[in-house]
Each structure stands twice: as C-alpha cells, then as structure tokens.
Amino acid sequence: SVRYTPYTNYLLFNIISNNIIGNINIPKQVSVNKPIVAKFKKFYLKASTQSSPNKQQQIKLNNYYNVNFNLADFRYNQIKFGALSGKMRTTNSNGLIINPLNAQSANYKLISQIAWNNINNMTRFKGQLTSTNTAKFLAGLGLSGQVYSKNANAKFDLQWRGFPTDFKLSNLNGNYNFNVQNGKISGLSRSTNAKLGLGTIITSLNIESLPQRITNGFRDKGKGGLNFKKMEGNFTIKNGNLLTQRAYLESTVAYISLK
C-alpha cells in the first residue's frame, strides 16, 4: 500500500509491501540543496525478465535526480547486500554523481562513488572494499566461499561507456587490486591436496623454519585446504578481459604466481 500525506513544504509517501517498507520525503521544490530523502527498512529488487534493447539509454536529468537514500536491508535477486546508503546529485555539466555510495553488512564494508559524465557519456565507479569474513561474503553474493580470511581488502577504479545502468562486462575497463592476509583455501582436489601434503613434508625438513613450525603446531596445511600467509594481485581490465603482471599466493608449502 502507498499512503500520501501533503505538508506545507513537502510531500510524504509511506510505502508498505512484501518487498518494500519505508518512506519518501519530496520537497515541493527539489534541488541540489533540497534533495528527496528516501529511507527504507527493507528494499528488495528483482531483475526484470523482459529483454532490454541493446542501445544505451537516453538520459535527461532533472532535479528529481537529487536524492539522499538509506536502505537498512537491501537485496537484489535474493542476494543480501546489507545496508546501502548514498547521496545522488546532478552536476553543473548536466552529469550525475553518487558520493558517497556505501554498503555494509557483518562480513564486508564498501566505500565508493559513481560519477557519470554527460560530455563523453562515461561512467566511473571507484572505491574500496574490506572484508572480515571472505567466505561468508563471497557465499552471500552467490559465489564460491572457498577462500577464508579475516583480513581482506580490494581497491578498484572502473569505467564503462553509458549511464551507470548501462553496465556490461564486455564494456568494462579499469584497474583492480586485492590483498588477502592469513587465509585458507578449501575445497581443493585430491591431487592438489596430495601435492600440498608432499610440500608440507619437504618444508618441514627446512631446519631454518623448523622452530617456527613447531611453535605453530605444523598448521601450514589444514585438512582439506591450504593455509596461506598472503594473496595479492594487481589487474588491468580491458573490454571485460582481466590482465595481470603481478598476482601471487604465498604459503609455507608453496609459492604460486601469475604473470
């Protein structure tokens, strides 16, 4: 249900449904300094089943694009993103910026911003992502949760042609780097685990590292997985293709690099 209440300087809409609960405050004269304020206890979206045209949208901005939003529980296609908040503003060059655009749950924190330049019709999305439980964070996004760490962070600076909603993987360019400390990779194949087991034996014979390994209780290789000290990578994205000159994983029993 939607309930509409007029006040002297603004209009208030209260929305209650299975997927959306919240209110929208619309000033009678919306502007950059008097934005729309939207607050929701929950906001659940589903992707449209209708096919969209291949050509990019023709966007004509107006004052109603000036919005402060705060979604306490945001979900998209059953994926739980947690809290999402941001400030969207039109710019003097008839562009659009959302700064900040933040999201947070018990397992991650995102600090970012999005800007659309009307002159060259390009969107830029940059920010930083940190996670204190990578396995649950990745699983929550519907991805494999086989990498566990309490200390992971990533930085990105991405661009694509068109409005922010014109995003396509084949149209993506930019940079991405990540750093994961003191983690574990689980779900490895039997042959991989066997090789890591041999590596553990060989490493155990290293006299220089023996005192430290005795102190750690020989925990470099956990059951059914690989414990690692550090995993790091720097990537360039060109038209959706991921390229790297530096990516590696370092553990006591193995050092794996990609170039």
Side-chain angles (χ1 to χ4, degrees), residues 196-219:
L196 292 173
L198 177 60
T200 302
I201 295 174
I202 295 174
T203 307
S204 297
L205 298 177
N206 187 332
I207 302 300
E208 293 181 357
S209 66
L210 191 56
Q212 179 182 358
R213 292 177 56 74
I214 292 175
T215 302
N216 293 334
F218 293 85
R219 291 193 298 266

Side-chain angles (χ1 to χ4, degrees), residues 149-216:
S149 171
K150 293 182 178 181
N151 183 4
N153 65 82
K155 293 182 179 181
F156 56 89
D157 189 346
L158 309 174
Q159 297 182 44
W160 60 90
R161 182 162 295 281
F163 202 63
T165 52
D166 290 325
F167 172 84
K168 291 181 181 179
L169 187 59
S170 60
N171 198 24
L172 186 64
N173 294 278
N175 299 291
Y176 167 78
N177 62 75
F178 70 88
N179 183 295
V180 185
Q181 303 281 344
N182 300 320
K184 178 179 179 178
I185 301 177
S186 60
L188 300 175
S189 65
R190 290 185 178 181
S191 60
T192 302
N193 271 316
K195 294 175 182 178
L196 292 173
L198 177 60
T200 302
I201 295 174
I202 295 174
T203 307
S204 297
L205 298 177
N206 187 332
I207 302 300
E208 293 181 357
S209 66
L210 191 56
Q212 179 182 358
R213 292 177 56 74
I214 292 175
T215 302
N216 293 334

